[in-house]
Amino acid sequence: MFGLADCNNFYASCERLFQPRYNGRPVVVLSNNDGCVIARSNEAKEIGVKMGAVYYQIKDIIEQHDIAVFSSHYTLYGDMSARVMTNLTRFTPEIEVYSIDECFLGFSGYSNLESYGHLVRSTVIRNTGIPISLGIAPTKVLAKVANKSAKKTSGVMVLDSDEKIKSILSAYPVEDLWGIGRQYAHKLIKMGIETADQLRSLPIDWVQTNMTIVGVRMWRELWGESCIPLELTLDRKKAMCTSRAFGKLTGDYAELREATTSYISRLAVKLRREKCCANAITVKLQTNRFNPNHRQAFPSITIALQHPVNNTHDLVRTALEGLRRIYIRGYLFQKVEVMATGLIPETEVQLNMFSVYKGNVHDKLSEVMDKMNSHYGSGTLRIATEGDKQRWTLRREFLSPEYTTNWNDIIKTK
DNA sequence: TCTGGGGTCCTAGGACCC
DNA sequence: TCTGGGGTCCTAGGACCC
């Protein structure tokens, strides 16, 4: 049996945890740049605030219902997530952390899963303050279904018989299934397939033709045949990217250089932390696609590196070369994206036949930067082209303190 | 004025190999 | 007049996830 543990309204729950005056009150968390709603407490859902709602368009509703608003604060959420996961590992050795607020649990050989599930749930809630729901079923796809049902009942749902599965799936909207996105949902509903049970009654050949092997796996899992195993080891990443919209639109080359330097520097740190090197760098600019009155452009370029690297200096130089080649005067850009691809482990770097490279891929300068920045705070030592005015940075008007990751922000009691 | 960020997997088709 | 067979690798595009 597989379990799926999922934190309820995770980001909103994290914010509320340290400000209990918001318990029982509507809370929303906004995306970067305070753009749109990405998490809602139950109270906010009841009021009708939609996932993805654009903040400035719902300001009236927020005021009218006195909804508490927070900018997203990933250091806090990451830290709380780690605490939840640590607690869950006490209940089974088989755990796959699937996202910041979810994980799959292996429960093969366990008995009395209903009461065990309640023990798991209440322990996590007691130790972390984050409410979770737990779905348990014979396959991952069904565990996802069970989890959603658990949220509407006692917080734990075990699907351990064909009858229970059939009855839940008959009332389960097909578009809510794990693996059914917008496109497939649209296609299925047009054909009159509206529930998960109807989907699994389709012939498997149709599923294979129209939804590829991925759909076939899901179809089998809906019938209780496990096809998607737990992934207990972390695969090495294949690509990494840093991409962020600016706080304001800009066509200014100097500002784009600052932002590109800043993003690629961050990416370089990530690469070194994961102990891998990139074979190529992609730089992409984007205009504001929501504004039809602006001229649109999405230029991008991929530059192959002579040999894989992860040092800040070479990566910055390559990314700026890319920016120089794609920049177009006269456009207002909203975002720059830098991506590292062809990642390989640091220890497996092969040099080009003609490269003149001394020492190892880790250069001394990057090493010193990492040390300084981790000791004195990030950004202490940085490449000069990052600039120091940085007028393009994120808007985060409603940021909460770093309760759990910064000594200065720790909660004081009298 | 203001609309997120970071990933994965699969398939088809083209280039290339012997 | 007639033009093989069996493969691999890479990329772009399209789907999906949180």
Side-chain angles (χ1 to χ4, degrees), chain A residues 34-275:
Chain A
D34 298 337
C36 46
V37 173
I38 54 169
R40 306 157 294 160
S41 71
N42 287 343
E43 299 79 9
K45 289 178 189 170
E46 272 159 32
I47 290 169
V49 178
K50 295 272 178 284
M51 188 67 167
V54 178
Y55 172 60
Y56 77 89
Q57 292 174 349
I58 58 164
K59 268 188 178 159
D60 288 350
I61 300 173
I62 286 177
E63 232 160 76
Q64 193 187 328
H65 296 274
D66 195 22
I67 300 176
V69 177
F70 292 93
S71 301
S72 38
H73 190 168
Y74 291 103
T75 17
L76 174 63
Y77 312 150
D79 186 62
M80 289 314 302
S81 170
R83 295 174 189 218
V84 169
M85 301 307 171
T86 307
N87 270 274
L88 287 168
T89 54
R90 295 167 50 179
F91 294 95
T92 169
E94 295 187 332
I95 169 167
E96 173 191 341
V97 177
Y98 179 65
S99 74
I100 194 164
D101 71 334
E102 281 178 46
C103 71
F104 287 103
L105 304 163
F107 283 138
S108 36
Y110 286 59
S111 51
N112 297 326
L113 280 168
E114 182 89 36
S115 57
Y116 194 65
H118 280 286
L119 178 67
V120 172
R121 177 168 180 270
S122 58
T123 307
V124 171
I125 295 175
R126 191 191 62 219
N127 290 356
T128 66
I130 299 291
I132 68 164
S133 307
L134 186 55
I136 300 173
T139 68
K140 279 182 161 183
V141 168
L142 289 171
K144 282 283 238 184
V145 170
N147 183 280
K148 208 152 230 179
S149 310
K151 284 209 197 314
K152 292 180 193 139
T153 55
S154 65
V156 175
M157 165 78 70
V158 183
L159 294 182
D160 51 5
S161 73
D162 292 345
E163 295 73 45
K164 271 197 211 172
I165 292 172
K166 171 96 182 164
S167 109
I168 294 265
L169 291 186
S170 303
Y172 199 85
V174 73
E175 67 267 27
D176 290 351
L177 278 173
W178 188 44
I180 300 293
R182 263 225 307 271
Q183 308 298 325
Y184 286 154
H186 184 71
K187 191 165 176 177
L188 289 165
I189 288 167
K190 238 174 48 189
M191 294 170 47
I193 305 295
E194 287 174 2
T195 69
D197 192 53
Q198 285 175 312
L199 172 59
R200 70 173 187 169
S201 66
L202 284 173
I204 192 165
D205 294 344
W206 186 92
V207 177
Q208 164 76 59
T209 312
N210 292 277
M211 301 171 68
T212 78
I213 187 70
V214 183
V216 171
R217 278 200 284 263
M218 184 190 63
W219 185 92
R220 290 187 190 281
E221 290 234 330
L222 283 174
W223 284 106
E225 180 191 340
S226 176
C227 305
I228 310 171
L230 277 183
E231 289 180 21
L232 301 176
T233 52
L234 270 182
D235 285 350
R236 201 173 282 278
K237 276 201 194 11
K238 295 169 180 119
M240 264 189 228
C241 130
T242 301
S243 142
R244 210 142 289 151
F246 309 132
K248 62 169 183 84
L249 297 175
T250 180
D252 183 59
Y253 189 57
E255 286 192 337
L256 293 172
R257 268 170 63 91
E258 289 183 8
T260 305
T261 308
S262 165
Y263 293 7
I264 191 81
S265 300
R266 246 179 283 186
L267 191 58
V269 172
K270 282 197 233 174
L271 284 166
R272 293 195 289 270
R273 202 185 304 140
E274 301 258 338
K275 299 197 183 307

